[in-house]
Amino acid sequence: MKKVILFFFFCFLFAGLVAQTTKKISYKAEYLDYDEEILPDAQRLKGNVVFYHENTIGYCDSAYLYEAENYLIAFGKPVRIYVGDSVTLYGNKVYYQGNTRLASIAQDVLLTHGNSILYTDSLIYDLHNNVGYYVTGGKMINVEDTLTSRKGKYYTKQDEIYLNEDVLLVNSSYTMDCSSLLYNTLSERVYFTSRTHMISDENEIFTTSGWYDTKNDVATLVEDVELYNKTQQMFADSAYYDKIARSGNAWNNVEIIDEEKGYVVNGNYVEYHETGGYSTITDSALLILIDNRDSLYMHADTLKILFDSLQEPQLMKAYNHVKFYRQDMQGVCDSLSYIMTDSLLQMYYNPVVWSGENQLSADTIRFTILDSVNMMVELCRAGFIVSSLYEETEFNQIKGANITGYIKNKELYLVDVVNNAECLYYIQEQDSSLIGINSSATSEMRILLKDNEISSIIFYNNPDGYIYPDQNLPTEDRQLKDFRWLIEYRPKEIKDIYVMPIPRIKYEEQDAEKFLDTDQ
C-alpha cells in the first residue's frame, strides 16, 4: 500500500512540474471570434488585447491565439511586452511561443532595459534565459555610448551585450571599431575581444584585449598595444591609460618614439604623462638620441624625463649603472643628468668617458654640448686623461685638479689643466719609436692634440719636468698617482651598454646628489 501511495505521489509531482513548464497563455480582449475556414485552430482576439504568461504581460491591438500549441501572434503599433519589471519589448509583430518562452519580434523593434535602448529590425528574445538575439543589424544607446553591430546577443540579467561583425562604439571621447566586443550596460565598461581601433581628438589607440571604462575614461589595454598622439608613438605588451588625466603606465617591451624631437625610449615599465611632468622608465631602460649620422644609445636602471606642457623635454635623469655608446664617444657612470634647455650633461659617481684613444675620468664630468659634433667637457676634481701606447703596455697621462677639454668635429683637440697639473708623455718618432718620456708638473698646462694624439704641451708657471730615456724611468714611476685604465668597461658596440656596470665609489659633491635625487 505504501508503494502505491508513493507511486501516485511522484506521478502527481511530475504532473505538477509538467504543468509548470507548459503553463498556458491567458488573455483579455474586447472581442473574440473563431472561424475555422479563415484561420484554423486559432482564436482571433481584438481590441485592447492583453495576454499573460508567467512573468510576462503583453499589450497589442489584435492577436491570433493557438491554444493547443500554446502559441500567439500579436499585432500592434506597437506591441508591448513587459518581462518582469526590467525589460520591455516593442515591435509591430510578435510571435510568442509559450512552451519554449521565445518571442520573435519584427518591425521597428525596441528593447529597453535600465538605461539601455536597443533598436533593430528583428529580435528573438529568450524569456527563460533573459537573452535577446539579432542578426540583421542593431543599435544600442546606453547613457552617452552608442553601439552598432551586424549581430548581437544581449544578456539582460547580466547587463551584458556581445556585439559581432562591423562593431562601432561612439561617445564624446572615442570612436571605436572592431569585429567583436563585450559591453556592460550597468558599469558602462567595454571588454575587448578582438583587435580594436580607438580614435579621439588627442590620440589613437590599438589593442587586442583588455577593457575600457567609458564612464571614467580609463582603460587597461592588453596585447600588441599601440598609442599615437600628435608627437609620439608608444608600443607595449600592455598599458593602463587615463584619458582625463592623459597619463598612464605601460608594461613589457615598451617603446616610445618621438621623431620630431629626435628620441626613442625603451623599457619594460614606463609611467608617462602627456600634459607634462616626469615620465619614468625602468627595467632595461634605454634612451636613443637620434642623429642621422651617429645616434647615442644610453642604458640605466631608471630613466626620468621631465616634459613641459607642450611635451618638450626639459631634463633627463639617469640612475644607477649608466652606460652609453656613440660611435665617436662612449661613457659609463653611476648617475647622470642632462638639462636640455642648457645643453648641459653631468656625470656623477666614478664617471669615465672615452673619445678616440683617450680615456677621461674625474669625480664629476660635465659636458656643454654646442651641437652634435662640438662640445666642451670639464673634468671636475681629480681629472685624469689617459691614452694607451704599445698595445696598452704604456700610457700617456694628464692629471689635474680641474681639466677642460674641447671637442671639435668629434675629436678632442685642446685640453687646459688647472691646479696641480701633471703629465707623463711618451715622445715618439714618426715611426712610433720612443725618444724619451716627459714627466712634468706645474700649476697649469695646455695640451694640443691632433688626430686624438698629443702634438705639443705648453707649461705655465715654472714647470718642474724632465725627459727620461726609456730605460731610466722605473716601472713604478710610469703611472701617475691614482692612475686607472678602465678599458674593460668601455662599450665597443651598442649591446655592451647592458653589461659590466662600473663600480660605484664614494661621492662628495652634495649639490649634484641633491639635484639628482629631487624631482623638479
Side-chain angles (χ1 to χ4, degrees):
M1 187 64 182
K2 289 183 178 180
K3 289 183 179 181
V4 173
I5 293 172
L6 285 173
F7 173 77
F8 280 109
F9 171 77
F10 283 117
C11 287
F12 176 78
L13 180 61
F14 177 75
L17 291 172
V18 170
Q20 280 188 328
T21 59
T22 58
K23 187 174 181 179
K24 293 295 183 177
I25 299 171
S26 57
Y27 61 89
K28 291 193 299 184
E30 293 180 0
Y31 304 98
L32 171 65
D33 65 30
Y34 174 79
D35 191 326
E36 188 172 347
E37 292 183 1
I38 298 175
L39 199 66
D41 304 322
Q43 299 181 53
R44 294 190 293 176
L45 315 176
K46 297 179 182 180
N48 296 317
V49 178
V50 182
F51 58 91
Y52 309 87
H53 187 253
E54 300 197 9
N55 66 335
T56 303
I57 301 175
Y59 298 86
C60 61
D61 297 334
S62 61
Y64 300 150
L65 175 62
Y66 296 83
E67 282 191 304
E69 291 86 4
N70 202 23
Y71 177 65
L72 178 142
I73 304 174
F75 306 90
K77 289 190 176 290
V79 178
R80 291 172 292 142
I81 299 177
Y82 297 91
V83 184
D85 57 359
S86 63
V87 175
T88 305
L89 303 168
Y90 299 86
N92 294 343
K93 190 174 185 179
V94 175
Y95 298 83
Y96 185 84
Q97 180 59 257
N99 294 340
T100 59
R101 299 196 67 203
L102 288 178
S104 297
I105 311 163
Q107 303 174 16
D108 299 327
V109 180
L110 274 73
L111 185 161
T112 65
H113 175 242
N115 293 321
S116 301
I117 303 175
L118 175 65
Y119 301 84
T120 183
D121 290 333
S122 61
L123 178 78
I124 297 175
Y125 192 83
D126 182 342
L127 291 90
H128 181 72
N129 294 301
N130 299 293
V131 184
Y133 307 82
Y134 63 86
V135 294
T136 57
K139 178 174 73 172
M140 171 178 280
I141 297 176
N142 185 72
V143 192
E144 295 186 0
D145 300 323
T146 300
L147 303 96
T148 59
S149 68
R150 180 69 179 168
K151 298 178 181 179
K153 186 183 294 187
Y154 188 8
Y155 291 83
T156 54
K157 191 171 184 179
Q158 289 79 26
D159 302 298
E160 292 178 344
I161 183 167
Y162 287 90
L163 305 176
N164 287 279
E165 296 186 17
D166 303 325
V167 180
L168 184 68
L169 184 152
V170 179
N171 60 24
S172 58
S173 297
Y174 280 103
T175 296
M176 183 186 311
D177 65 87
C178 57
S179 61
S180 66
L181 63 77
L182 168 64
Y183 179 81
N184 187 289
T185 59
L186 190 61
S187 66
E188 299 170 47
R189 179 173 287 195
V190 177
Y191 295 89
F192 307 115
T193 58
S194 65
R195 190 69 175 165
T196 303
H197 181 201
M198 305 168 64
I199 302 175
S200 73
D201 293 337
E202 294 83 15
N203 55 46
E204 186 174 2
I205 296 172
F206 293 87
T207 187
T208 301
S209 61
W211 55 264
Y212 166 49
D213 185 334
T214 64
K215 184 189 299 183
N216 298 302
D217 257 342
V218 296
T220 293
L221 314 170
V222 179
E223 194 175 339
D224 298 328
V225 177
E226 302 175 34
L227 187 151
Y228 303 86
N229 59 31
K230 294 177 181 178
T231 62
Q232 296 176 332
Q233 307 168 45
M234 189 196 79
F235 307 92
D237 287 354
S238 58
Y240 172 83
Y241 182 67
D242 185 330
K243 186 177 183 296
I244 296 174
R246 294 187 64 188
S247 64
N249 303 31
W251 296 270
N252 299 328
N253 302 310
V254 184
E255 182 175 51
I256 299 174
I257 301 171
D258 194 318
E259 294 180 358
E260 181 181 326
K261 298 177 180 63
Y263 69 84
V264 177
V265 172
N266 293 95
N268 281 318
Y269 178 74
V270 172
E271 296 176 4
Y272 60 97
H273 306 273
E274 293 179 339
T275 56
Y278 274 101
S279 290
T280 303
I281 306 96
T282 61
D283 191 358
S284 302
L286 171 68
L287 171 66
I288 304 173
L289 299 178
I290 301 171
D291 188 309
N292 290 331
R293 290 171 293 184
D294 191 8
S295 297
L296 182 143
Y297 298 78
M298 185 179 69
H299 165 67
D301 289 351
T302 301
L303 293 174
K304 285 192 174 183
I305 304 175
L306 176 65
F307 294 92
D308 64 13
S309 59
L310 300 177
Q311 280 300 95
E312 293 288 344
Q314 304 294 304
L315 170 66
M316 186 272 292
K317 301 178 182 181
Y319 297 90
N320 305 329
H321 308 138
V322 180
K323 210 167 190 178
F324 66 82
Y325 174 88
R326 198 171 80 170
Q327 190 171 4
D328 64 305
M329 182 180 295
Q330 304 82 42
V332 297
C333 61
D334 191 75
S335 305
L336 67 75
S337 67
Y338 178 34
I339 305 173
M340 280 77 164
T341 52
D342 297 329
S343 297
L344 179 64
L345 186 147
Q346 301 183 86
M347 302 172 64
Y348 308 107
Y349 299 101
N350 204 17
V352 185
V353 173
W354 293 270
S355 176
E357 300 299 322
N358 300 294
Q359 172 188 286
L360 293 71
S361 62
D363 284 349
T364 300
I365 297 179
R366 182 180 297 123
F367 283 91
T368 302
I369 301 171
L370 307 177
D371 54 45
S372 61
V373 295
N374 301 296
M375 62 189 73
M376 179 178 72
V377 56
E378 299 171 84
L379 309 182
C380 306
R381 295 193 312 279
F384 220 122
I385 300 177
V386 180
S387 61
S388 69
L389 299 167
Y390 309 124
E391 298 181 350
E392 302 183 15
T393 59
E394 304 291 351
F395 301 89
N396 286 330
Q397 301 159 60
I398 301 168
K399 182 182 177 182
N402 295 286
I403 300 176
T404 303
Y406 300 88
I407 296 173
K408 184 176 182 180
N409 294 325
K410 298 186 178 182
E411 289 190 359
L412 184 66
Y413 75 97
L414 176 63
V415 174
D416 286 328
V417 187
V418 179
N419 295 329
N420 303 319
E422 298 179 64
C423 79
L424 191 69
Y425 170 53
Y426 286 72
I427 305 170
Q428 296 175 289
E429 295 281 10
Q430 289 188 351
D431 62 0
S432 297
S433 59
L434 184 60
I435 298 173
I437 303 171
N438 184 339
S439 177
S440 302
T442 184
S443 59
E444 297 181 29
M445 68 174 69
R446 168 166 284 189
I447 299 100
L448 303 175
L449 300 95
K450 185 177 181 181
D451 297 329
N452 281 313
E453 295 182 358
I454 296 174
S455 60
S456 61
I457 300 178
I458 302 171
F459 299 96
Y460 301 96
N461 303 326
N462 300 317
D464 179 14
Y466 188 77
I467 297 177
Y468 294 90
D470 181 38
Q471 64 275 15
N472 290 351
L473 186 64
T475 301
E476 62 271 16
D477 294 330
R478 290 175 182 250
Q479 295 180 356
L480 300 179
K481 185 181 178 183
D482 300 323
F483 168 87
R484 295 182 301 161
W485 182 238
L486 302 167
I487 193 64
E488 67 269 23
Y489 297 105
R490 182 176 190 173
K492 297 179 176 60
E493 52 186 328
I494 296 171
K495 67 179 182 179
D496 293 341
I497 63 177
Y498 294 101
V499 297
M500 288 286 287
I502 199 161
R504 182 172 181 146
I505 63 171
K506 186 177 180 181
Y507 186 64
E508 297 176 355
E509 191 172 345
Q510 297 301 320
D511 292 341
E513 187 167 35
K514 181 180 179 181
F515 173 78
L516 268 173
D517 293 340
T518 303
D519 289 349
Q520 297 185 358

